Amino acid sequence: MSEQDVKAEIEKCVNMSAPGPHVFLLVIRLGVRFTDEEKNTVKWIQKNFGEEAAHYTIVLFTHADELVDLSLNEYIRENIEIQTLVIDCGGRFHSFNNQDMENCNQVTELTRKIEEMVRINRGKHYTNEMYKQAQKNNEQDEHYNTNTTLSIILVNGGEGGDRGDGGGGGGDLRIVLLGITGSGKSSTGNIIIGSFKFKRGISSMSVTKHCERHETTVEGRHISVIDTPGLYGTTMSEEQLKNEIVKCVYMSAPGPPVFLLVIRLGVRFTHEEKNTVKWIQKNFGEEAVRHTIILFTHADQLKGKPLDLYISESNALQALVNECGGRYHSFNNKNMEKRSQVTELLEKTDRMVGINGGQHYTIPMFKQAQEKIEREAFQQKVTDFGKTALTVAGGVALAAAGPAVVALGKAAAKAFVAPGAVKTLLTGATAAASLNIY
Ligand SMILES: Nc1nc2c(ncn2[C@@H]2O[C@H](COP(=O)(O)OP(=O)(O)O)[C@@H](O)[C@H]2O)c(=O)[nH]1
Ligand SMILES: [Mg+2]
C-alpha cells in the first residue's frame, strides 16, 4: 500500500465512525516478540490521530490464551515495555481469545471497560476535528510516515453512564497508600478492604517489597487499595523503588488515584516523614498533593486525646497537615469492627474530589513529574562534570579555566544528550509495514 493509499483508508475509517469514535482499540498479539514497531504504536496513534487520541485508546491483547505460565496481569507487570505501552494508554487493556466465539463474557467485559473510559472522558469522544488538526500538523512535518504494523479498530461506544467517575464522588475509588516503613500502610489497607490480605508487621519478612492491590466493595462502590513499599527504611535501591512506583501508578489505572499519606501517631515525627510531602511532589508531581489525604494510624495510642489537639501541639505535624490542604483522617488499625472509620474516610475523599472540581490526578501528570526528575538528574550530571573538570584543571590560570569548563560542560551535555536524542528519533519514527484498519 502506498503512503497515499494508507492515508485515504485512515480518512475513510474516521469518516465511517463519524462524528468520531469513542474508542481506539490498539490490537497487540501476545506470545510473540514485542517488536520495536509495536513499542512505538502509541506515538504512532498520537502522530496520526493527534495527542488526545491516547485518552481514547484501549490495548486489546489477542492470543492471551497462549500465555502458559503467567496470568495476563503478571505478564504485563513483568514486561516493562508492554507495561509502558499500557501506561501510555492510561492503564486500559483487555484480552480476547479470538478462537472462542462462544465466550460472550470477554465482549461484555470489554464493553464495560469502554463505558468506564467514556465515563472518565466525561462522555466526550474523539472527534474528526481532532483528526483534521493532527493531519494539518503532519503536513507541516516533512518526516510524516504512515507505514506501520498496527491494527486499529474504531468503536463507537455508548454515551457515558452515571456510575461515578473513577476517582471518588460516589463512584469507584482507587487508593494508593504511601508512607515510611512501619507507618501502618498495610494495616490501613486491611482496614479499608475489611480483611487481612495485606501482610503487615515489623519483621523483614512482612515488610512490603512490591506493590500489591486488593479490592472490595463498600456500599456498592468498587474500592481498590494499592499498598506500596516504604518510602524510607527499606533495603531497596532507588531504582527498584522507582520501578515499584511506576507499577503502583499502573495498578491504579484505569483512572485517577487518591493518595493516602500514612503517618504513625504516638512516636516522634521523623525527619523522613517531614519530607514525605516533598517526596510525593517530586515523584508524582505538584498536583498529586491536591489529591492526598493524611491518614494517621495508631489513633488508639492517643488514649482519648483529641487528634486536633495532638496536631496543634506539634508545629511539624501542623505544617504537614497544612501542606495537604488540611485534609486528614485517623484509623485505629487494631479495630477492624469499626467500619465507621472507613465510611468517614470515603466521605473525606469524596469531599476532596468535589473541591478539586472533579479533576483527577492523571497519568500524564505522573509522566511529567518523572521527566522532570530525569531532566534535573541530567543537569546535575552536567554540573558535576563541569565541577570535576574544574578540579582537574586545578588552580592553573583560573581566568582560562572558566571558558574551558563551559566547553567541557557542553561536550558532556552532548555525551549525555545522545541517548535521549536517539530515543526521540526512535519515538518519532514509525516503522515500515502494512496498516490494517477494520
Ligand atoms: N496499635 C496499633 N498498631 C498498629 C496500627 N496500625 C499498624 N499497627 C502495627 O504497626 C506495625 C506496622 O504496620 P504495617 O501495616 O506493617 O506498616 P507498613 O510497613 O507501613 O506497611 C504492625 O505491627 C501493625 O500491627 C494501629 O492503628 N494501632
Ligand atoms: Mg507494609
Side-chain angles (χ1 to χ4, degrees):
M1 237 181 181
S2 76
E3 201 179 299
Q4 211 50 38
D5 290 343
V6 172
K7 222 172 156 177
E9 283 303 318
I10 297 182
E11 198 108 31
K12 245 194 247 168
C13 90
V14 171
N15 287 334
M16 276 161 128
S17 66
H22 280 85
V23 191
F24 294 91
L25 287 184
L26 170 54
V27 184
I28 302 280
R29 182 188 166 149
L30 281 176
V32 287
R33 201 174 62 80
F34 189 56
T35 63
D36 283 344
E37 288 88 346
E38 284 175 311
K39 283 172 210 161
N40 287 321
T41 44
V42 177
K43 296 276 172 318
W44 186 92
I45 291 179
Q46 284 176 327
K47 182 149 182 69
N48 286 278
F49 291 92
E51 292 283 334
E52 303 96 330
H55 301 302
Y56 302 91
T57 303
I58 295 179
V59 184
L60 179 68
F61 293 108
T62 59
H63 293 76
D65 48 306
E66 288 173 19
L67 292 179
V68 259
D69 301 328
L70 299 172
S71 71
L72 179 57
N73 277 335
E74 285 167 339
Y75 183 81
I76 297 172
R77 231 169 272 160
E78 288 185 5
N79 186 325
I80 193 76
E81 282 159 345
I82 299 234
Q83 205 178 97
T84 307
L85 179 94
V86 170
I87 289 176
D88 282 341
C89 295
R92 292 176 294 271
F93 66 92
H94 187 63
S95 70
F96 264 7
N97 170 4
N98 287 334
Q99 300 300 318
D100 188 1
M101 189 59 98
E102 312 300 280
N103 184 353
C104 298
N105 282 347
Q106 52 185 2
V107 182
T108 319
E109 186 56 13
L110 175 64
T111 314
R112 192 192 63 75
K113 288 180 183 171
I114 293 174
E115 278 174 6
E116 188 168 5
M117 184 188 74
V118 171
R119 204 173 67 232
I120 287 168
N121 286 337
R122 306 200 170 273
K124 282 194 239 143
H125 57 77
Y126 177 80
T127 63
N128 292 6
E129 283 65 42
M130 291 176 189
Y131 176 69
K132 281 186 198 132
Q133 188 55 48
Q135 292 307 306
K136 219 194 256 161
N137 295 345
N138 281 332
E139 271 159 28
Q140 291 157 4
D141 182 355
E142 55 183 350
H143 301 298
Y144 180 57
N145 179 3
T146 44
N147 294 333
T148 190
T149 49
L150 113 110
S151 302
I152 303 172
I153 307 173
L154 305 179
V155 183
N156 278 327
E159 295 301 326
D162 57 359
R163 286 184 300 143
D165 52 15
D172 295 351
L173 191 61
R174 294 168 186 89
I175 296 172
V176 176
L177 300 167
L178 298 171
I180 67 166
T181 304
S183 57
K185 292 180 298 301
S186 303
S187 311
T188 296
N190 288 335
I191 294 287
I192 297 174
I193 61 166
S195 68
F196 294 101
K197 288 193 179 148
F198 293 107
K199 275 198 233 85
R200 70 215 182 279
I202 40 171
S203 80
S204 59
M205 287 297 286
S206 59
V207 169
T208 313
K209 295 188 184 70
H210 300 285
C211 292
E212 231 179 287
R213 167 173 159 160
H214 291 292
E215 314 182 7
T216 189
T217 304
V218 178
E219 291 164 12
R221 300 174 75 177
H222 187 251
I223 317 270
S224 312
V225 180
I226 295 124
D227 191 12
T228 62
L231 305 186
Y232 301 94
T234 62
T235 50
M236 287 173 96
S237 71
E238 218 172 288
E239 196 56 33
Q240 283 170 319
L241 184 61
K242 200 170 159 182
N243 283 341
E244 287 302 317
I245 294 170
V246 173
K247 265 190 217 168
C248 92
V249 170
Y250 151 69
M251 281 177 165
S252 71
V258 162
F259 298 102
L260 279 193
L261 173 53
V262 182
I263 304 276
R264 178 181 174 158
L265 285 172
V267 286
R268 203 171 61 81
F269 186 55
T270 64
H271 179 68
E272 280 92 355
E273 283 178 305
K274 282 179 199 149
N275 284 328
T276 43
V277 173
K278 301 243 165 3
W279 188 95
I280 294 177
Q281 280 171 329
K282 182 173 166 208
N283 285 278
F284 292 97
E286 297 283 333
E287 300 92 341
V289 179
R290 288 201 295 126
H291 304 270
T292 302
I293 295 179
I294 301 172
L295 192 285
F296 292 109
T297 62
H298 293 75
D300 46 309
Q301 307 213 339
L302 290 185
K303 309 225 166 43
K305 187 174 196 169
L307 180 55
D308 294 4
L309 183 62
Y310 184 84
I311 296 171
S312 70
E313 285 171 355
S314 157
N315 287 343
L317 273 185
Q318 239 173 46
L320 183 89
V321 168
N322 286 342
E323 278 182 290
C324 291
R327 290 178 297 272
Y328 62 89
H329 187 61
S330 69
F331 268 7
N332 168 6
N333 286 331
K334 292 286 172 204
N335 192 351
M336 181 67 96
E337 268 59 66
K338 197 178 163 201
R339 303 312 294 158
S340 60
Q341 51 185 357
V342 178
T343 326
E344 279 165 27
L345 173 68
L346 297 185
E347 279 166 15
K348 287 183 184 173
T349 58
D350 288 348
R351 224 172 296 145
M352 178 179 77
V353 171
I355 288 169
N356 286 337
Q359 290 200 324
H360 305 300
Y361 178 78
T362 61
I363 302 269
M365 288 176 188
F366 173 67
K367 285 174 126 183
Q368 255 174 19
Q370 291 298 315
E371 276 162 21
K372 191 164 170 236
I373 292 175
E374 273 170 31
R375 254 193 332 269
E376 284 171 1
F378 159 68
Q379 273 159 2
Q380 190 58 47
K381 270 187 191 162
V382 173
T383 311
D384 290 349
F385 191 91
K387 276 189 197 145
T388 313
L390 185 59
T391 314
V392 171
V396 193
L398 266 178
V405 170
V406 175
L408 275 167
K410 278 195 181 154
K414 267 192 207 139
F416 286 122
V417 160
V422 170
K423 200 169 151 205
T424 318
L425 259 178
L426 264 176
T427 50
T430 38
S434 66
L435 176 85
N436 309 309
I437 296 170
Y438 300 96

